[in-house]
Amino acid sequence: MIFDSHAHYNDDAFAADADEILASMPENNVGRIMNACAALGEMDRILELCRKFPFVYGSVGIHPEYAEKPGSSAEAAIKSFAADEKILAVGEIGLDYHYDEVPRDIQKECFDFQLSLAGELNLPVIIHDREAHKDCLDIASAHREVTGVFHCFSGSREMAREVLGLGYYIAFGGSLTFKNNVKTVEAAKYVPLDRIVVETDCPYLAPVPMRGKRNSSHYIRYVIDKLAEIKNTDRETIENITFENAERLFRIGGKI
Ligand code: NI
């Protein structure tokens, strides 16, 4: 069975058919899905999906694109959503220097604050790092009590080494299949299998040969096939190991 460790079924792209698509997952070998939150306004829909589908889990957090100065109301909201038994992580949080929509100092402050909250709540984090590798590592390093996953990993082998050193998992998605993405393939070669999880980040980042289309967990098999090729093993081995890894990462069944 497959664990899609990062998806956004509350996205507008799924407004018409999220329920239908999700209902078709178990028969297509997708056994668990982490639906990641980007803004607190998404939480009602995320919880609705968690209630409806036993195999869907959620996270709560503020994506760097929506980062704001940390305050008591955000803190209270994150804590109350995190108390739900299906909310298993704080995320997605991090830094995005590609779009730079929010000033970097505010992104950093918001990231740092949510790492502290994750520490306090004893939850793993889902880190979004886009073109901000050094600052992400520096801030994550200041919270050694917290681990989680670097989602949609786009760093080098050297960066992977540092992320692993902090105790994090590394998630590979559609970009692993993109042509000329030598750096990510090199990183995937380097990361031991017991620290890898797979994801779609759907509706975004559909893998080759579906690139450009609306992504869904149905297409995660292309990422799994690519990983199997890189690791010189078969699809089933990758599916099983990444499933177990994601269960460990999100402590499925272990939330107090
Ligand atoms: Ni995402």
Side-chain angles (χ1 to χ4, degrees):
M1 259 197 313
I2 296 167
F3 196 138
D4 183 352
S5 67
H6 196 111
H8 298 280
Y9 283 101
N10 57 291
D11 191 278
D12 286 346
F14 293 113
D17 60 355
D19 287 24
E20 194 186 326
I21 292 193
L22 284 169
S24 72
M25 287 304 158
E27 73 209 33
N28 284 285
N29 207 28
V30 177
R32 295 197 196 279
I33 295 170
M34 166 54 72
N35 195 104
C37 169
L40 299 180
E42 300 173 6
M43 285 308 293
D44 287 345
R45 176 65 175 150
I46 290 174
L47 286 169
E48 192 183 327
L49 293 171
C50 287
R51 300 275 176 270
K52 201 157 192 175
F53 300 98
F55 55 88
V56 173
Y57 300 84
S59 69
V60 57
I62 304 167
H63 186 286
E65 203 180 316
Y66 303 103
E68 51 185 57
K69 263 200 133 18
S72 53
S73 67
E75 178 174 344
I78 291 172
K79 282 184 173 169
S80 93
F81 287 124
D84 191 280
E85 60 175 3
K86 294 292 293 282
I87 301 303
L88 302 182
V90 173
E92 53 188 299
I93 61 176
L95 303 172
D96 194 319
Y97 293 172
H98 181 74
Y99 291 111
D100 255 336
E101 281 183 22
V102 176
R104 293 184 181 186
D105 55 331
I106 293 187
Q107 289 191 40
K108 287 184 196 172
E109 223 181 311
C110 192
F111 181 31
D112 185 70
F113 156 74
Q114 293 184 95
L115 281 163
S116 297
L117 261 182
E120 203 181 310
L121 294 164
N122 191 27
L123 288 175
V125 291
I126 300 168
I127 295 186
H128 171 104
D129 160 24
R130 189 152 185 206
E131 296 170 23
H133 301 330
K134 186 182 180 304
D135 286 353
C136 263
L137 276 174
D138 284 351
I139 294 172
S141 304
H143 295 267
R144 295 305 291 257
E145 77 285 9
V146 180
T147 61
V149 58
F150 271 68
H151 116 83
C152 191
F153 189 77
S154 60
S156 62
R157 187 189 153 107
E158 180 53 29
M159 162 98 181
R161 195 180 61 78
E162 296 200 43
V163 167
L164 293 171
L166 289 174
Y168 280 78
Y169 289 83
I170 290 182
F172 292 104
S175 56
L176 186 67
T177 68
F178 295 173
K179 289 198 174 44
N180 306 321
N181 199 351
V182 181
K183 194 173 74 167
T184 310
V185 170
E186 281 304 311
K189 262 186 205 160
Y190 170 75
V191 180
L193 258 183
D194 65 354
R195 301 290 288 281
I196 292 177
V197 295
V198 288
E199 65 167 53
T200 54
D201 202 15
C202 64
Y204 313 106
L205 288 170
V208 173
M210 299 300 171
R211 194 170 179 181
K213 297 198 172 141
R214 183 186 72 168
N215 199 4
S216 83
S217 308
H218 288 310
Y219 297 161
I220 200 167
R221 60 197 175 90
Y222 297 109
V223 177
I224 289 168
D225 284 347
K226 181 73 186 180
L227 260 179
E229 181 195 313
I230 291 168
K231 294 297 195 186
N232 202 16
T233 183
D234 55 282
R235 174 189 288 181
E236 222 182 331
T237 303
I238 299 290
E239 282 182 17
N240 293 339
I241 294 179
T242 56
F243 189 93
E244 285 166 20
N245 293 345
E247 287 213 313
R248 241 182 5 258
L249 155 65
F250 294 122
R251 304 170 197 164
I252 299 279
K255 193 176 180 195
I256 301 160

